[in-house]
Amino acid sequence: ASGLSVAIDDFKVSAKSGSNSVRLQFKLKNTSLYSQHVSGHAIVVLKGEEIGQNQWLPLPMIPLIDGKPSGRQEGKAFGISNFKIMKFRANMPKSPEKFHAASVYIFTQSGELLIEQDFPLKLVP
């Protein structure tokens, strides 16, 4: 997968009061050489410093290894030549104020990590 690269833009979080859910979205941009088509999958992990890794929230729900996805599990699939808006949704965690970061992992189809990026997170209960 040489020359394949992606960038993450416009990361947004919205927690709707009343709906008890969290929505995350970001723009996944293809930054590869020669605009090669990139396909793979995305996983977002909601994290907090005060809570154990076993309470972190992976989207979609997959088992984490040392707090990270391995790349072999199925995340949210994508195939892009240009860009795609990736959307994730989760139930509001029990103590939302304890989650401080969202880590976005983008893997190729073969499980190679293309990018890992952290974004600050503020979930208001």
Side-chain angles (χ1 to χ4, degrees):
S2 59
L4 292 183
S5 67
V6 293
I8 298 165
D9 248 1
D10 294 341
F11 184 85
K12 294 187 189 107
V13 179
S14 61
K16 296 238 184 337
S17 56
S19 76
N20 203 26
S21 68
V22 185
R23 288 163 189 258
L24 305 130
Q25 76 170 50
F26 55 87
K27 185 178 187 176
L28 184 61
K29 290 198 314 194
N30 186 350
T31 53
S32 303
L33 286 171
Y34 319 116
S35 304
Q36 296 176 76
H37 184 81
V38 182
S39 55
H41 54 103
I43 294 162
V44 180
V45 181
L46 306 187
K47 303 176 170 182
E49 286 150 28
E50 303 161 35
I51 49 177
Q53 288 182 354
N54 59 335
Q55 290 176 284
W56 289 0
L57 186 61
L59 310 176
M61 287 300 272
I62 53 153
L64 298 174
I65 296 145
D66 291 332
K68 294 185 172 198
S70 72
R72 294 206 176 82
Q73 310 102 322
E74 269 308 298
K76 188 162 262 225
F78 68 87
I80 49 173
S81 298
N82 201 341
F83 71 89
K84 179 177 182 169
I85 304 295
M86 302 292 292
K87 295 181 179 180
F88 293 81
R89 192 179 164 174
N91 291 330
M92 183 67 80
K94 284 211 169 53
S95 307
E97 67 285 350
K98 291 191 173 154
F99 290 84
H100 297 136
S103 295
V104 179
Y105 298 87
I106 309 294
F107 294 97
T108 62
Q109 278 179 323
S110 60
E112 178 191 345
L113 183 64
L114 286 175
I115 190 171
E116 172 186 341
Q117 197 170 340
D118 288 1
F119 296 90
L121 188 65
K122 195 174 168 81
L123 296 179
V124 182

